[in-house]
Amino acid sequence: MDVDMNETNVLLVEDDVNVRTAIKGMLREMGISNIQEATDGVKALEYLDDHPDVLSLIVCDWNMPNKTGIGLLKDVRQAYPILPFLMVTARADKDSVLVAKNADVTGYICKPFSFEDFRKKVSTMLKIPM
Amino acid sequence: MIKRGRKRDFYLELLIAASIFIVCSAFLIFTDFFEWWFKYTRAHEGWELDELFSLVFALLIAGSVSAVRHVLMVRRLMKRLYQANRDLKAHKVERIRHEKMIALGSLASGLAHEINNSMQPVVGLGGFILEGLKESGNETHYEYMKTIMNSTEHSQGIINNVLIFAREKSLEYEALDAFKILPDAIKFSTDVLPSSVVVNVSFDVETDNHEAIYINVNRTGFYQIFYNMLNNASAAMDNQGAIDISLALDVIPEAPHEVALRVDIKDTGCGIDPDIQSKIFDPFFSTKDISEGTGLGLPTVYALVEQHGGCTVVNSIVGKGTVFSLYFPIVEKSKE
Ligand SMILES: Nc1ncnc2c1ncn2[C@@H]1O[C@H](COP(=O)(O)OP(=O)(O)O)[C@@H](O)[C@H]1O
Ligand SMILES: [Mg+2]
């Protein structure tokens, strides 16, 4: 299956502006240009309410003010049971991974990750042939 | 200090008893007490004072025997009390150490998470800049960037150790044959040691028909344990001499019912001063130059071995050398 990068819409949820810029840069390097940004879970939900069914992927930080990544994931799963959701976090312990898995996360990657690791994760999730 | 105090008390008691004895006997001798008593009793035959005297004498003997028994009992009780006091002190030290570790661990893991987060741009984007500089042919800036990336990798190593020490990094384990994984781990570390250091490995261990010994191992963690241990041993010997690694079947010191493989790593280095032996497992404790030691080697080993279900014990003599004993519980092989 061929994936058209122009039709790939990514919502990037991350409160740290530098990290957000970095991840956006990596997505661009992959050829993805439709990137929406949100600084926390509440703003992400607002975007989802205003633009239903347009996203191909959510890339989301765990620790954020207002609504954490795991809170957002749980809310997203109510309306979108299979929308690819990639958790990007500095939490590397088993319990955190388990919590995310139980909330039905699609992918999990630990910060700081290299472009290669990120590209592989995102490609698999979007089923982009490598 | 306690011991000296106890001895002094005992001698004091002895001295008092001796003084009383001397004073009493002097009094009895100088007053000719018994002669007077003898005459007195002859003069008053009817009183039957002989019998009375015998009674008093018997009482005296009974009293002194019971006094001696009491002194002995008090001594025994005192001994127990001192022991309890010592135990309590040791326990308190252990508890304070434990609490300090927990506090340090949570501080360190919080810090490590924050740093890992802010490292994302460097780790994620640095590669592109490196690529770009390489293509542009700007040699100098390419070298600068490479230095930045190397330095980043180095700090990543430190942060990873901190996370292991804080038990915040989960490890996957598999049951592996110690006779196979140990040589791998040792070789991995010996390869980077100076050639003036010799590592002797002796795997003579009594097993039934030389069967495999299985231990639960996280490969990366296991390699790191030996890497840290051998580097420390080598540094303690000024990178000159022999390190002996040997195996033994033993039990875990704190859990004597649990059979373990003990790995002894023995060096003939400078040894560890008794005063600092309690500190060597503290994170960031180091006697080395800032460029040579981070003080994270032993705390990481301690945490890793503990996560492998075992424990680390140190025996050291200043000027002679050090033996670190690592205990790994033996497991039944379930697969195959
Ligand atoms: N084999 C050894 N012989 C003598 N001293 C040692 C040995 N291993 C460790 N030490 C002492 O313990 C300290 C802490 O060791 P470690 O945690 O590995 O940190 P570092 O090696 O970075 O100093 C060392 O600085 C050293 O003083
Ligand atoms: Mg060290």
Side-chain angles (χ1 to χ4, degrees):
Chain A
M1 184 176 66
D2 245 350
V3 178
D4 187 351
M5 289 299 197
N6 289 323
E7 287 184 8
T8 303
N9 289 308
V10 178
L11 174 61
L12 172 58
V13 195
E14 164 71 66
D15 58 329
D16 185 321
V17 60
N18 292 324
V19 178
R20 202 166 62 236
T21 312
I23 298 179
K24 198 165 75 179
M26 288 193 253
L27 287 166
R28 286 232 177 90
E29 293 283 343
M30 287 184 65
I32 299 169
S33 51
N34 298 328
I35 305 163
Q36 304 303 321
E37 293 171 54
T39 52
D40 63 49
V42 173
K43 297 211 175 80
L45 276 184
E46 278 167 16
Y47 177 83
L48 275 167
D49 282 343
D50 295 343
H51 309 81
D53 296 314
V54 300
L55 288 179
S56 353
L57 169 71
I58 295 178
V59 177
C60 181
D61 181 27
W62 185 313
N63 290 336
M64 290 181 297
N66 297 328
K67 189 183 271 292
T68 64
I70 209 76
L72 175 64
L73 172 58
K74 281 175 184 160
D75 288 347
V76 166
R77 281 288 172 255
Q78 308 269 325
Y80 305 92
I82 56 162
L83 173 62
F85 193 110
L86 175 62
M87 190 70 84
V88 291
T89 173
R91 296 172 184 233
D93 59 305
K94 212 176 239 156
D95 290 344
S96 299
V97 179
L98 218 67
V99 167
K101 259 194 186 145
N102 287 339
D104 220 356
V105 79
T106 330
Y108 195 102
I109 189 166
C110 291
K111 285 178 190 166
F113 44 82
S114 67
F115 176 62
E116 262 322 290
D117 291 342
F118 182 71
R119 196 175 58 84
K120 273 185 206 145
K121 264 268 151 58
V122 172
S123 302
T124 330
M125 289 173 71
L126 290 176
K127 303 192 172 63
I128 301 170
M130 282 190 287
Chain B
M1 225 167 82
I2 291 169
K3 244 196 175 132
R4 220 181 303 136
R6 235 165 74 191
K7 273 228 167 84
R8 215 179 43 210
D9 285 355
F10 179 67
Y11 287 129
L12 198 73
E13 243 169 66
L14 220 63
L15 197 75
I16 291 171
S19 320
I20 292 175
F21 173 74
I22 290 168
V23 170
C24 283
S25 41
F27 172 78
L28 293 173
I29 290 166
F30 282 117
T31 54
D32 262 342
F33 176 78
F34 280 100
E35 194 167 329
W36 169 80
W37 181 255
F38 183 73
K39 280 183 188 151
Y40 193 77
T41 48
R42 293 301 105 185
H44 301 78
E45 242 349 306
W47 285 18
E48 298 186 355
L49 281 176
D50 278 11
E51 286 72 14
L52 201 65
F53 180 73
S54 305
L55 223 72
V56 169
F57 200 71
L59 212 70
L60 223 74
I61 291 173
S64 27
V65 167
S66 127
V68 167
R69 275 173 51 82
H70 266 85
V71 166
L72 287 179
M73 196 178 75
V74 165
R75 262 176 68 75
R76 241 191 347 259
L77 280 177
M78 290 285 265
K79 223 179 194 161
R80 285 231 296 268
L81 203 67
Y82 282 125
Q83 184 59 43
N85 191 26
R86 259 204 309 277
D87 287 353
L88 208 67
K89 266 191 190 149
H91 185 250
K92 200 170 154 200
V93 167
E94 187 57 38
R95 211 195 63 222
I96 289 173
R97 195 183 141 83
H98 190 70
E99 279 171 7
K100 198 168 83 181
M101 285 298 137
I102 289 175
L104 256 170
S106 63
L107 172 78
S109 91
L111 203 68
H113 279 142
E114 284 306 314
I115 294 174
N116 266 345
N117 197 58
S118 18
M119 287 285 248
Q120 185 56 60
V122 188
V123 175
L125 300 179
F128 296 121
I129 301 184
L130 200 66
E131 268 310 286
L133 286 172
K134 195 176 181 182
E135 277 160 23
S136 77
N138 188 336
E139 286 278 331
T140 323
H141 283 181
Y142 174 72
E143 286 305 319
Y144 290 170
M145 192 59 202
K146 231 166 122 180
T147 310
I148 292 176
M149 295 301 278
N150 285 344
S151 183
T152 306
E153 206 171 295
H154 180 71
S155 38
Q156 280 296 281
I158 295 178
I159 293 167
N160 269 334
N161 281 346
V162 168
L163 284 174
I164 288 174
F165 155 71
R167 288 130 176 98
E168 280 282 330
K169 218 175 158 67
S170 340
L171 307 173
E172 304 282 337
Y173 296 88
E174 50 187 329
L176 294 175
D177 180 2
F179 292 123
K180 295 214 174 83
I181 180 80
L182 263 169
D184 289 352
I186 293 166
K187 180 165 189 319
F188 169 79
S189 315
T190 2
D191 282 352
V192 295
L193 290 180
S195 53
S196 44
V197 174
V198 187
V199 180
N200 300 319
V201 185
S202 144
F203 280 175
D204 285 335
V205 59
E206 291 289 322
T207 60
D208 306 335
N209 323 316
H210 252 284
E211 272 176 21
I213 296 179
Y214 287 101
I215 51 181
N216 265 333
V217 169
N218 168 270
R219 204 176 272 272
T220 320
F222 202 72
Y223 278 38
Q224 187 164 19
I225 290 170
F226 287 91
Y227 183 82
N228 291 358
M229 293 313 291
L230 289 172
N231 269 311
N232 278 348
S234 171
M237 305 190 301
D238 279 326
N239 297 320
Q240 215 119 45
I243 302 168
D244 292 324
I245 301 179
S246 56
L247 301 182
L249 283 182
D250 204 338
V251 292
I252 305 234
E254 279 138 43
H257 56 276
E258 208 167 340
V259 183
L261 179 71
R262 192 185 80 221
V263 185
D264 290 333
I265 299 152
K266 179 168 162 271
D267 67 57
T268 49
C270 55
I272 305 168
D273 198 289
D275 286 346
I276 65 162
Q277 269 190 32
S278 62
K279 298 199 189 107
I280 55 170
F281 293 109
D282 286 359
F284 304 112
F285 174 83
S286 178
T287 55
K288 294 171 191 167
D289 263 8
I290 198 105
S291 59
E292 271 155 43
T294 55
L296 282 172
L298 285 180
T300 307
V301 167
Y302 194 89
L304 278 170
V305 175
E306 196 181 87
Q307 287 177 61
H308 278 76
C311 65
T312 310
V313 175
V314 59
N315 275 300
S316 186
I317 299 172
V318 174
K320 283 207 137 168
T322 307
V323 184
F324 278 96
S325 300
L326 313 177
Y327 293 79
F328 297 97
I330 291 171
V331 295
E332 299 272 330
K333 174 84 172 168
S334 50
K335 286 180 284 188
E336 283 174 346

